[in-house]
Amino acid sequence: MTLIDVHHHPTLPGLIAHQERRGLPVFRGGPAWNPEIALEQMAITGTTMSVLSVPADLSWAGADLAAVTDDLNDELADIVRDSPSRFGAFATLPLPDPDLATAHAVAALDSGRFEGVAMLTSYQGAYLAQPEYTGLLQELDARDAVVFMHPILVFNAPAGLPGPLLEGTFDTTRAVTALAAANVFERFPRVRFLFPHTGGMVPYIKWRIAMHALQGGDWNVPVTPEGLEAETRKLDGLYYDTTLNLGPLLQLERTDRILFGTDVPWANDSILPLERDYATQVRDGWSAEQVAAVSSGNALRILPHAGRRLGVEVPA
């Protein structure tokens, strides 16, 4: 079985070096990562290829924002170049600068070195639905780009619970709702949005998101069944990965919109086989064809560079 993991976060020495040169605090509490460790973890699940991503707010780079982004993307591309059948990568964008991000997205996507682009749901409180990102969306749409949109890391979580447990999924839901309210999915229909962690609450509350898109926050605005159906259909075009939350997604979404993801290196060795088994076993009327689609077929369809490097036929 070909298994493509679209959610894998490398630790890049070059990025750490940039932060250290500026005297910035560098988080040291994460799990170790290098390409060799990555391959060991991929062996646990039998993953054929991992698509690397470093979605980050690089505002700390200041006047060097473009240069830091270039270095980061060169480092990602070097990993792919050294192991082209094992790794792919989403390019990081120099956000929160919309103009720089647009130029870098064009260059990265036109270079053929990347599978798409990775970004956070928001930067300094501004979500992609904001008007300043229209130019970026136009260029992404023109290139049928895949946009891997990762939630921001929320540190101050309520109820004494760790931020990554719930707040990231809620932030993804917030981002999708903002995009729907701004009609982004209809205005830029060729952008393939990929939301991790099964899209947070989105598959479960599509009706509510559609209702907000129609009412704009005014609960007195009347809605019709036809209007709700049309808004919900716009959300049906989104893609989700299976990272750390697959269960209900199988009942809520079409399997042609689901891609395999793990969150290496943050998912430990005991979790990885559980993620694989849940995403790759035939169950409850789920056909072998659907399993193959989630395992790799959907990824190959929207990430054609990966398919060419693997030498496999890309599904229509």
Side-chain angles (χ1 to χ4, degrees):
M1 175 186 294
T2 301
L3 188 59
I4 298 178
D5 177 4
V6 297
H7 193 142
H8 186 130
H9 299 309
T11 300
L12 300 181
L15 183 60
I16 293 173
H18 272 293
Q19 293 172 318
E20 289 179 333
R21 281 197 292 272
R22 289 163 175 77
L24 298 172
V26 177
F27 177 64
R28 302 290 186 183
W33 189 96
N34 59 42
E36 291 72 30
I37 293 173
L39 291 171
E40 290 173 3
Q41 290 199 283
M42 289 163 62
I44 294 172
T45 55
T47 294
T48 309
M49 175 184 286
S50 290
V51 183
L52 309 177
S53 59
V54 187
D57 183 338
L58 299 176
S59 56
W60 50 265
D64 297 326
L65 178 58
V68 170
T69 304
D70 287 337
D71 288 349
L72 191 159
N73 285 333
D74 286 344
E75 199 167 358
L76 285 170
D78 286 346
I79 296 170
V80 176
R81 182 202 61 206
D82 291 343
S83 301
S85 65
R86 303 310 308 276
F87 294 112
F90 293 121
T92 301
L93 299 183
L95 287 161
D97 187 311
D99 294 331
L100 272 180
T102 302
H104 276 69
V106 169
L109 294 170
D110 290 354
S111 74
R113 298 193 301 169
F114 300 97
E115 312 302 330
V117 299
M119 63 179 68
L120 294 172
T121 45
S122 67
Y123 295 85
Q124 301 174 338
Y127 286 79
L128 192 61
Q130 298 291 102
E132 58 262 37
Y133 292 119
T134 298
L136 174 59
L137 285 165
Q138 287 171 337
E139 295 295 346
L140 295 172
D141 188 70
R143 288 163 175 77
D144 297 324
V146 173
V147 175
F148 178 81
M149 185 172 286
H150 197 280
I152 60 174
L153 184 59
V154 178
F155 291 98
N156 299 319
L161 298 171
L165 177 63
L166 298 175
E167 301 310 307
T169 62
F170 296 156
D171 184 63
T172 295
T173 308
R174 225 175 351 259
V176 173
T177 303
L179 292 168
N183 206 25
V184 165
F185 303 129
E186 183 174 27
R187 289 160 53 210
F188 306 102
R190 294 168 60 186
V191 178
R192 273 81 63 86
F193 286 99
L194 173 56
F195 293 100
H197 316 115
T198 67
M201 296 292 291
V202 172
Y204 182 68
I205 63 167
K206 280 185 179 180
W207 196 89
R208 192 175 181 88
I209 295 171
M211 185 173 63
H212 174 73
L214 292 168
Q215 292 183 317
D218 183 351
W219 295 92
N220 295 308
V221 173
V223 299
T224 65
E226 295 78 14
L228 280 170
E229 182 179 356
E231 286 298 328
T232 302
R233 278 200 302 270
K234 297 175 188 177
L235 299 170
D236 289 340
L238 306 182
Y239 290 87
Y240 307 94
D241 78 28
T242 63
T243 300
L244 298 176
N245 192 37
L246 177 60
L249 193 64
L250 300 180
Q251 287 76 47
L252 295 171
E253 287 295 334
R254 298 173 359 213
T255 49
D256 65 346
R257 296 289 163 171
I258 304 173
L259 287 72
F260 178 66
T262 63
D263 221 344
V264 168
W266 295 96
N268 68 42
D269 291 359
S270 70
I271 294 292
L272 291 173
L274 301 179
E275 292 191 285
R276 176 204 58 211
D277 291 347
Y278 217 115
T280 61
Q281 292 180 354
V282 178
R283 67 185 71 237
D284 300 330
W286 201 23
S287 70
E289 289 76 15
Q290 289 171 305
V291 169
V294 172
S295 299
S296 62
N298 297 333
L300 291 170
R301 191 177 69 252
I302 67 173
L303 307 174
H305 297 312
R308 284 194 287 272
R309 293 200 309 278
L310 286 172
V312 300
E313 184 176 350
V314 177

